[in-house]
Amino acid sequence: MALNPEIILKAKAAFEQKCFQLLIDAYHICLTEKIIHLDWNENDISSEIHKSIKENPLRKKWKVSTNVEADIPKDIQKVKGFADKFPRIDFRLTTFSKNEEYEYFFEAKNLRQNDSALKRRYISTGIDNFVSKKYENGSLVGYLLEGKTVNTINGINSLIIKDKRDSEILNPKSHKLLKESYFESNHSEIGILKHFIFNFTNISV
């Protein structure tokens, strides 16, 4: 028997919050253990975040599977090489509940306050990939490697405003697990997109 749509929505929302906790717990571990280097690529940082997610006892308790650089199958013509055209996203977390599979995705981008190219890339291959639904059912994670969070977000918003997309700027919001570095943007195509900014600037040894 099919589950009530309202029950499915509640289950999805509950799973989303579990994914947030696993991700943020991993971030805090990386800060505490000073694992991250400020010259690392995105995939280097994501690899350490993923390792901490896998080792979190809550992941096993909640029966959550996770992998990095996941393919997202899409409806594309199936000719030789079609799988290479699937979009790839940094984190995929999944679980099963009452015969339903729930998925959640995170796309990660490096950020530096004084690097306009990285901020533009955050928009064009981060925000816009969700807005276009190339990526779905997920959130963005910014790895801040230089500068201040507020100045970096202001820089991203300046570019969005320059593109005449004022209604899509990132706004600070409160989140019980990460109040100072959590933002939301609103998009007519998809509604609210969540942004987590992980500040690693004080981690250097």
Side-chain angles (χ1 to χ4, degrees):
M1 189 173 83
L3 288 177
N4 183 303
E6 186 176 341
I7 293 175
I8 292 176
L9 283 176
K10 288 182 178 178
K12 283 184 176 179
F15 180 58
E16 179 185 64
Q17 292 304 313
K18 289 176 180 177
C19 293
F20 290 169
Q21 179 156 356
L22 290 172
L23 181 80
I24 293 167
D25 283 355
Y27 164 56
H28 288 151
I29 288 170
C30 288
L31 285 181
T32 301
E33 298 184 358
K34 296 185 179 296
I35 297 168
I36 307 302
H37 292 254
L38 299 182
D39 62 347
W40 278 8
N41 296 329
E42 289 159 13
N43 287 343
D44 300 329
I45 300 171
S46 293
S47 176
E48 289 299 328
I49 295 278
H50 180 252
K51 176 175 176 285
S52 295
I53 289 175
K54 284 196 72 173
E55 293 174 351
N56 192 328
L58 287 175
R59 185 187 69 82
K60 294 182 179 178
K61 177 183 177 182
W62 293 333
K63 297 180 171 62
V64 175
S65 297
T66 177
N67 61 296
V68 288
E69 284 287 303
D71 288 330
I72 307 175
K74 295 286 182 181
D75 293 327
I76 59 177
Q77 186 179 6
K78 293 188 177 179
V79 295
K80 182 180 178 180
F82 75 93
D84 293 334
K85 298 179 182 178
F86 288 153
R88 295 175 68 81
I89 198 162
D90 290 304
F91 297 91
R92 172 179 178 263
L93 287 82
T94 61
T95 193
F96 278 92
S97 177
K98 299 185 185 301
N99 298 322
E100 290 287 331
E101 183 180 21
Y102 299 99
E103 295 180 304
Y104 200 82
F105 301 93
F106 294 104
E107 175 67 6
K109 302 291 178 190
N110 278 359
L111 286 170
R112 296 178 185 274
Q113 178 182 315
N114 295 321
D115 192 327
S116 293
L118 286 179
K119 285 178 278 190
R120 174 55 73 186
R121 184 167 171 269
Y122 184 89
I123 297 169
S124 61
T125 64
I127 293 173
D128 289 350
N129 279 349
F130 280 102
V131 171
S132 68
K133 299 184 180 179
K134 179 179 180 179
Y135 301 154
E136 297 184 72
N137 192 33
S139 298
L140 271 165
V141 185
Y143 300 144
L144 184 63
L145 304 175
E146 174 267 320
K148 296 184 181 300
T149 298
V150 64
N151 294 340
T152 305
I153 294 299
N154 286 343
I156 291 171
N157 283 341
S158 293
L159 291 173
I160 291 172
I161 291 169
K162 184 178 179 181
D163 293 341
K164 302 187 183 336
R165 296 167 59 179
D166 304 42
S167 63
E168 299 180 61
I169 63 170
L170 281 64
N171 295 293
K173 300 289 182 178
S174 62
H175 191 284
K176 61 183 179 181
L177 297 175
L178 195 69
K179 293 179 181 179
E180 75 282 0
S181 300
Y182 172 69
F183 300 82
E184 291 181 358
S185 55
N186 204 298
H187 310 272
S188 58
E189 299 86 349
I190 60 168
I192 292 173
L193 178 62
K194 301 176 177 69
H195 306 255
F196 296 89
I197 306 300
F198 289 173
N199 188 338
F200 293 113
T201 59
N202 294 322
I203 206 169
S204 59
V205 293

